[in-house]
């Protein structure tokens, strides 16, 4: 299998492309949030997206599971092109899990019900199978003992791990993370990152918006720098951090490192 | 970081600061000479008015209430069929008991599973919470002339308690069907009142009619209100426009207007032999009116659900309809409970408006008995109207306190 990357010098990704964005534009009214985004992400690849606030990182990954509708260009996920067709959208959402900055757990449901909801409603698993699957996922994020609690009873780090388990329970091919540790107290960041690192080592395809540079260095195949709705620079972590090419990248790195 | 757990235990009663009352009075009521004068004048007036009321009530002849108690409670229901309202009363006490017990057991189980403390409501707390109702029942019974109603009331309380414990010990599998038990009991109550030669609601009166119009009105209006609220958010402009227009027109009109429209407009539009009874038309008018208000209450609840909830549901692949049913509505409706109770309280009081169309509900009944020949010109309005006021106050006050308690319990507004 050959890697087919736009930035082939900058990737170690092995699989075929599972996500492809071609010339994607996104407008909010007159404001252009995404400008001609081109990106191909291989199977099992881990891509970290960084950049200043308002640069379009969230918008980018939200276009991949159609939480935002792109205005021009093409978005393909595992061979399915996103269009207005609701069935296509459902299919793409089955194959992509998403983890939000604010967790967005369902507060009226127990942890177990949060995790079994989609397997039962979307994949139509029987209750027993769904619960078995959910317990597996909760073990994977290391909180099976919290299954009967409500989200409000958990710490932020635990809530975010439940959110990861909830996404994993759909057995997605791709996981999207939008600043998963930004809302967490410092002492809870590690427990979430550990779970994500394990996920990456397990071969999950991941796009992660984060400012955790340690995470990027440890597991990213590529680092993408976005600003003003554009992809400014892409590189392997080694190249990217040691030898950034663009002025905007250098400036940003000097501010956060 | 909010670690706000759903709270199932009782909230401790508020403690009122008793000290500082003198200070407060000095600061607010007697801070200069004219304020002091005003305070004193007002105090004299209030005390005089209260004394007058008390004197009127104490020296009054309560025979008028005694003689008309049945009229106040059940209107012109045939005297030889009193077993019917009593049977219905038993149905409802059992209903409240079973539902209460089942809800309480559900809360207990959820709390236990989630490892939260669950403090049971004590008997003392129940007394504190429901003393106005208990007091009202005692007052009403004191106007009865035989011992039967008292015995039957005690029986009803026992039935309610029994049903409560039954509700608590129901196995989980059956507890899920509590709503069905409730529906069956409601139907049974209606059959007891109206079936097999009884009297349908078109012939009801007194407090029974007020309660019927309020409960049936709000319950039937609820689904329509929900649909209107959803319609208001519909992506289809036609549905949105219809919903908004309906809601805004109805909310711009007083209830009495809608009732008059129900009485006369519907009356003229529909041929005589197809025309529903006046009470039915009142009920339809009330439903039409309440639906618009409920729609606005529900809209508030829907807005209280954060956008992230919908996005999270979409991201795991839930369809829009399932997202609404499983994620948005449960949270939105829970947030609307206090406002819904408020809406119900005002409807309960507003059901007295049907008196304008000559229907003898409680308020009207307490008014017209003063023109019975035995009491004509005796000025007993203060007695009979006080009785009606007491009934409405007890109902409204208890419900509003319960709703505030529920609000604290659900932690509405502090997600
Ligand atoms: N729903 C929206 N409506 C209008 N503008 C938006 C919306 N979402 C994002 N934007 C704008 O798009 C730009 C990119 O936002 P975002 O993708 O959230 O940036 P980032 O995640 O990199 O901080 C910002 O300027 C933001 O204000
Ligand atoms: Mg963002």
């Amino acid at each position: 299998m050959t890697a087919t990357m736009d930035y082939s010098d900058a990737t170690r990704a092995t699989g075929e492309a599972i996500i492809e964005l071609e010339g994607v534009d996104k407008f909010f009214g007159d404001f252009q949030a995404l400008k001609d985004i081109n990106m191909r992400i291989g199977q099992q690849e881990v891509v970290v997206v960084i950049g200043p606030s308002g640069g379009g990182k969230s918008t980018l990954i939200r276009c991949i599971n159609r939480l935002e509708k792109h205005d021009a260009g093409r978005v393909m996920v595992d061979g399915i092109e996103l269009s207005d067709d609701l069935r296509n959208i459902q299919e793409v959402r089955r194959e992509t899990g998403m983890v939000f900055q604010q967790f967005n757990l369902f507060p009226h449901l127990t942890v177990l019900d949060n995790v079994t909801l989609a397997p039962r409603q979307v994949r139509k698993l029987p209750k027993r199978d769904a619960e078995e699957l959910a317990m597996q996922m909760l073990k994977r994020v290391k909180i099976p003992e919290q299954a009967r609690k409500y989200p409000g009873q958990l710490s932020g780090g635990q809530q975010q791990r439940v959110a990861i388990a909830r996404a994993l329970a759909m057995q997605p091919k791709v996981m999207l993370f939008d600043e998963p540790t930004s809302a967490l107290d410092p002492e809870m960041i590690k427990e979430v990152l550990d779970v994500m690192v394990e996920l990456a080592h397990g071969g999950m395809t991941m796009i992660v918006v984060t400012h955790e540079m340690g995470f990027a260095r440890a597991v990213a195949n590529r680092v993408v720098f976005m600003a003003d709705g554009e992809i400014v620079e892409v590189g392997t972590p080694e190249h990217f951090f040691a030898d950034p090419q663009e002025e905007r990248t250098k400036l940003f790195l000097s501010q956060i490192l | 970081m909010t670690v706000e757990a759903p709270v199932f235990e009782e909230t401790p009663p508020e403690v009122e600061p008793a000290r500082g009352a003198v200070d407060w009075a000095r600061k607010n009521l007697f801070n200069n000479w004219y304020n002091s004068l005003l305070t004193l004048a007002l105090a004299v007036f209030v005390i005089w008015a209260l004394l007058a009321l008390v004197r009127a009530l104490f020296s009054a002849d309560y025979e008028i209430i005694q003689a008309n108690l049945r009229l106040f409670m059940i209107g012109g229901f045939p005297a030889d069929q009193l077993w019917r309202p009593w049977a219905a009363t038993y149905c409802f006490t059992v209903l409240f008991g079973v539902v209460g017990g089942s809800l309480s057991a559900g809360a207990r189980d959820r709390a236990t599973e989630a490892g939260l403390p669950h403090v049971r409501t004590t008997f003392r707390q129940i007394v504190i919470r429901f003393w106005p109702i208990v007091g009202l029942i005692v007052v009403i019974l004191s106007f009865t002339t035989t011992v039967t109603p008292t015995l039957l009331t005690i029986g009803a309380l026992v039935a309610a308690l029994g049903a409560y414990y039954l509700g608590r010990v129901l196995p989980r599998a059956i507890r899920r069907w509590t709503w069905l038990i409730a529906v069956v009991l409601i139907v049974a109550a209606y059959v007891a009142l109206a079936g097999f030669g009884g009297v349908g609601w078109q012939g009801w009166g007194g407090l029974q009619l007020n309660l019927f119009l309020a409960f049936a009105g709000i319950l039937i209006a609820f689904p329509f209100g929900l649909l209107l609220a959803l319609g208001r958010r519909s992506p289809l402009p036609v549905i949105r426009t219809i919903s908004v227009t309906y809601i805004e027109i109805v909310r711009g009109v007083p209830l009495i207007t809608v009732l008059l429209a129900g009485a006369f407009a519907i009356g003229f539009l529909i041929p005589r032999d197809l025309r529903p009874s006046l009470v039915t038309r009142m009920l339809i008018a009330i439903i039409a009116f309440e639906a618009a208000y409920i729609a606005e209450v529900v809209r508030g609840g829907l807005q209280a659900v954060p956008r992230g909830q919908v996005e999270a549901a979409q991201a795991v692949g839930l369809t829009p309809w399932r997202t609404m049913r499983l994620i948005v509505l449960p949270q939105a409706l829970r947030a609307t409970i206090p406002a819904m109770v408020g809406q119900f309280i005002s409807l309960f009081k507003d059901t007295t408006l049907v008196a304008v169309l000559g229907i003898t509900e409680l308020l009207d009944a307490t008014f017209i008995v003063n023109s019975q020949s035995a009491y004509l010109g005796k000025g007993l309005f203060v007695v009979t109207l006080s009785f009606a006021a007491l009934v409405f106050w007890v109902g409204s006050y208890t419900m509003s306190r319960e709703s505030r308690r529920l609000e604290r319990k659900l932690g509405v507004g502090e997600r």
Side-chain angles (χ1 to χ4, degrees), chain A residues 152-200:
Chain A
Q153 291 171 266
L154 305 183
S155 74
Q158 290 172 323
Q159 290 193 49
Q160 193 59 299
R161 285 186 282 150
V162 173
I164 294 174
R166 175 177 69 182
L168 289 176
M170 283 298 286
Q171 302 184 315
K173 295 187 176 157
V174 181
M175 286 283 283
L176 309 172
F177 293 84
D178 193 358
E179 305 205 30
T181 57
S182 299
L184 295 177
D185 293 340
E187 70 272 16
M188 293 169 186
I189 291 177
K190 184 168 180 301
E191 64 190 51
V192 173
L193 289 180
D194 284 349
V195 167
M196 291 167 59
V197 168
E198 260 174 52
L199 210 54

Side-chain angles (χ1 to χ4, degrees), chain A residues 54 57-59 101 178-179 209:
Chain A
K57 308 182 293 296
S58 298
T59 308
Q101 180 175 351
D178 193 358
E179 305 205 30
V209 178

Side-chain angles (χ1 to χ4, degrees), chain B residues 30-182:
Chain B
F30 299 100
N31 53 350
N32 55 39
W33 67 268
Y34 53 86
N35 254 356
S36 307
L37 211 64
L38 199 63
T39 303
L40 283 178
L42 271 175
V44 167
F45 174 74
V46 167
I47 290 170
W48 173 82
L50 276 177
L51 279 179
L53 183 67
V54 168
R55 201 166 336 108
L57 290 179
F58 268 97
S59 62
D61 185 359
Y62 284 97
E63 205 215 296
I64 186 168
I65 293 185
Q66 250 168 34
N68 291 294
L69 190 60
R70 190 189 308 141
L71 181 70
F72 294 166
M73 292 292 113
I74 53 176
F77 211 93
D80 56 345
Q81 305 212 5
L82 287 187
W83 66 270
R84 291 178 178 276
W86 275 110
T89 307
Y90 270 71
C91 287
F92 279 106
T93 50
V94 168
L95 188 159
F96 284 124
V98 168
V99 171
S102 156
L103 287 179
S104 141
R108 174 197 62 199
D109 288 359
R110 278 196 305 278
T112 320
E113 272 181 6
L116 284 167
H118 176 68
V119 185
R120 268 189 69 180
T121 316
T122 62
F123 184 70
R124 216 180 125 245
Q125 281 169 324
I126 301 242
V127 171
I128 293 174
R129 273 164 57 190
F130 295 108
W131 67 263
I133 298 254
V134 176
L136 178 67
I137 291 175
V138 171
V139 167
I140 291 176
L141 287 177
S142 74
F143 289 123
T144 57
T145 44
T146 63
V147 74
T148 324
T150 307
L151 292 179
L152 284 169
T153 303
I154 294 171
L157 285 178
V158 172
L161 276 181
Y164 181 83
Y165 282 104
L166 179 69
R168 275 186 74 92
V169 299
L170 277 184
R172 264 185 176 211
I174 302 183
R175 205 195 295 149
R176 287 179 45 216
W177 298 94
T178 309
W179 65 269
L180 191 61
I181 302 179

